[in-house]
Amino acid sequence: MDKITNKFSLQKSVEYTLLAYAFTLPLSRAAISFFTLLLFILWLIEPERKERFIASLKNPLIFSLTLFLLFSLLSLIWSTHFMHGVKYIRHYWYLLPLLTFFSYAKSELIPKIISAFLFGMLMSEILSYGIFFELWSFGHATPQDPSPIMNHIHYSAFLAVTSLLLFNKVFFETDLRWKFFYFLYFLMTSSNLFINGGRTGQLAYVVGMFVVAIINVKHKILGVFTIFVLASAIFITAFSLSPTFQTRLQTTLQSLTKIESATNQMYASSFGTRLGAWMVATKIFQDHPLLGVGMGSEMQALKDKIDTTMPQLKTFDPEYGPLLYNIKHYHNSYVTYLVQMGIIGLALFLYIFYSLAKLPVQNKELNNLKYIFITVFMIAALFEQMFALEFPLALFTLFSGIFIAANSRKSVAIS
């Protein structure tokens, strides 16, 4: 009897912790670390953890992540910057709650987890709008960059996922009052996305809108046309009302103009610096195609390549100095893993998303959300280190955990 009581208490503790984890995810860096650790501790005290861990490896997504993590550790052998590699890999501990999701998250808990996340996002958006309209100040956020907790690139990914989640719910909700509420919340989140400066999330949002139409609308051509009109209206409204969006769009056009100049000035911009880093990365890949340079050596490899074969990229901008030479990372997850671990590492990274896409989810709404999430995350990964930083990794963990829970147990309606 005591064992049954203890197991019930542990189950309830995990459920409440998962809800708190989902709620605080957009609100606190410290809370993410705290609840990640707590969820792992709760998993560790499970008497049957060994059996559950072995069972979790049969899940395609967890298996693919395990392969990726093992090869990342293996790449430390040929890395010339071992400790840098260790620091890089340690961020993957934010994936640990997936074990707890697999072991404890029941299908009945999924709608509550999603609601907790949406409520947390609502709180963050209220903060963001208050900063934008100069009703209050918060941290380092400004009216020009009203991202309250995280940087604007990561926040734009959170907003893109949230807005498309809400838009997807509109198609499945049967209660007209809730359908109307979700649509209003969708418009509010979409507007917030465009008053923030994250072009990465904005691009993912636009592509994701078409994915929502394709998977939810029976008449595909009509659906795509409707989304085109809606997206255009949102775009025009954002350009008219958001100075931040205007500035970021103009900066993008200026970057493209510099790139067209085909001189060293082509790299003197945010996108130009990224492009230059990607060009250097292709040269590094040619030298280390199969295994890469090893985890942690990727940025030194960039500097070495510029020093030896591309010195013209070392100094080019009189105002900002050697932007490309001092870039902190490649701003592209695919390029990063290609340099770090070669074609094998990139293939293992892509296999993670293939495994997630193939993960069977019976609930239609959740299954559609799975493809929407993959779209947003993979597009965002084109311009940011989405799999190596705290907030995007936690976002991946939360939604992957939801899909794992839906796959592991009989799903229920989430509306």
Side-chain angles (χ1 to χ4, degrees):
M1 185 67 180
D2 289 340
K3 288 184 178 180
I4 296 175
T5 302
N6 291 337
K7 196 162 188 177
F8 176 78
S9 299
L10 181 59
Q11 177 70 38
K12 297 304 291 186
S13 298
V14 170
E15 290 179 358
Y16 287 130
T17 306
L18 285 172
L19 293 176
Y21 174 72
F23 171 70
T24 57
L25 197 70
L27 296 173
S28 172
R29 189 183 300 272
I32 292 175
S33 298
F34 173 77
F35 287 116
T36 296
L37 179 60
L38 181 57
L39 286 168
F40 183 58
I41 291 173
L42 290 171
W43 180 81
L44 282 177
I45 63 178
E46 161 61 46
E48 301 174 357
R49 60 184 176 277
K50 181 179 178 180
E51 293 78 5
R52 295 201 180 199
F53 176 71
I54 294 173
S56 72
L57 293 178
K58 297 179 182 179
N59 179 279
L61 177 58
I62 293 179
F63 178 74
S64 65
L65 284 166
T66 302
L67 287 179
F68 177 79
L69 294 176
L70 288 175
F71 191 73
S72 297
L73 288 169
L74 184 65
S75 74
L76 292 173
I77 295 175
W78 56 87
S79 172
T80 58
H81 290 71
F82 181 86
M83 290 311 300
H84 286 171
V86 171
K87 290 178 181 178
Y88 196 99
I89 291 174
R90 72 181 183 183
H91 287 99
Y92 296 144
W93 87 284
Y94 291 110
L95 295 169
L96 287 175
L98 289 176
L99 294 173
T100 313
F101 272 100
F102 178 84
S103 298
Y104 289 101
K106 297 181 178 180
S107 57
E108 307 87 68
L109 191 65
I110 293 175
K112 296 178 183 178
I113 292 175
I114 293 176
S115 295
F117 172 75
L118 289 176
F119 189 50
M121 281 300 300
L122 181 61
M123 296 298 100
S124 78
E125 290 190 59
I126 291 173
L127 281 174
S128 181
Y129 273 112
I131 296 166
F132 178 74
F133 289 111
E134 300 184 67
L135 299 177
W136 49 67
S137 58
F138 190 89
H140 299 290
T142 65
Q144 293 73 38
D145 183 12
S147 304
I149 309 296
M150 60 196 88
N151 73 48
H152 63 269
I153 299 177
H154 298 164
Y155 194 48
S156 71
F158 271 70
L159 290 169
V161 169
T162 303
S163 59
L164 295 172
L165 184 161
L166 291 164
F167 194 41
N168 187 58
K169 287 184 77 67
V170 170
F171 287 92
F172 290 89
E173 180 56 57
T174 55
D175 188 307
L176 290 179
R177 290 170 297 181
W178 278 108
K179 187 186 288 283
F180 182 67
F181 170 78
Y182 289 137
F183 188 71
L184 285 182
Y185 190 2
F186 159 73
L187 292 178
M188 170 186 166
T189 307
S190 299
S191 300
N192 198 358
L193 175 61
F194 285 94
I195 67 173
N196 281 274
R199 292 169 291 184
T200 298
Q202 292 165 2
L203 175 61
Y205 168 86
V206 172
V207 177
M209 287 278 284
F210 287 100
V211 173
V212 173
I214 291 170
I215 60 181
N216 282 308
V217 180
K218 184 176 181 181
H219 302 287
K220 307 302 181 187
I221 297 178
L222 177 61
V224 169
F225 177 76
T226 303
I227 293 302
F228 177 79
V229 172
L230 180 60
S232 299
I234 293 173
F235 182 89
I236 293 171
T237 303
F239 186 82
S240 302
L241 300 178
S242 173
T244 302
F245 182 62
Q246 292 179 21
T247 301
R248 299 294 286 179
L249 182 60
Q250 290 167 359
T251 301
T252 301
L253 295 176
Q254 291 171 2
S255 298
L256 294 175
T257 301
K258 288 182 178 181
I259 290 171
E260 289 178 355
S261 68
T263 65
N264 282 347
Q265 282 295 315
M266 70 185 286
Y267 305 113
S269 66
S270 175
F271 184 70
T273 304
R274 287 172 166 83
L275 180 63
W278 301 343
M279 291 173 61
V280 177
T282 61
K283 302 294 184 181
I284 300 172
F285 170 68
Q286 290 171 11
D287 295 336
H288 308 272
L290 190 62
L291 300 177
V293 298
M295 190 72 72
S297 299
E298 64 278 356
M299 299 319 298
Q300 187 59 49
L302 178 138
K303 291 184 177 182
D304 292 343
K305 181 59 67 175
I306 291 176
D307 284 335
T308 56
T309 63
M310 310 170 80
Q312 72 276 13
L313 301 182
K314 194 168 183 178
T315 56
F316 60 84
D317 191 273
E319 182 178 356
Y320 298 105
L323 294 181
L324 180 56
Y325 193 75
N326 290 334
I327 193 172
K328 293 182 179 179
H329 54 80
Y330 288 92
H331 290 279
N332 184 308
S333 298
Y334 311 104
V335 170
T336 298
Y337 292 126
L338 197 63
V339 173
Q340 287 178 333
M341 298 182 289
I343 195 68
I344 295 178
L346 178 61
L348 289 174
F349 180 61
L350 293 174
Y351 182 56
I352 293 171
F353 296 98
Y354 173 80
S355 300
L356 180 56
K358 298 294 288 183
L359 195 69
V361 176
Q362 292 182 358
N363 181 281
K364 179 66 174 175
E365 181 180 348
L366 280 176
N367 196 51
N368 287 0
L369 178 60
K370 179 185 68 176
Y371 294 118
I372 294 166
F373 177 77
I374 291 171
T375 300
V376 171
F377 203 91
M378 292 193 73
I379 290 177
L382 287 168
F383 304 100
E384 181 61 320
Q385 299 286 81
M386 294 293 289
F387 218 68
L389 298 169
E390 181 177 8
F391 279 107
L393 258 178
L395 183 68
F396 176 86
T397 299
L398 175 68
F399 279 90
S400 295
I402 289 171
F403 304 135
I404 286 173
N407 166 259
S408 301
R409 296 160 182 84
K410 186 178 179 181
S411 187
V412 296
I414 71 169
S415 299

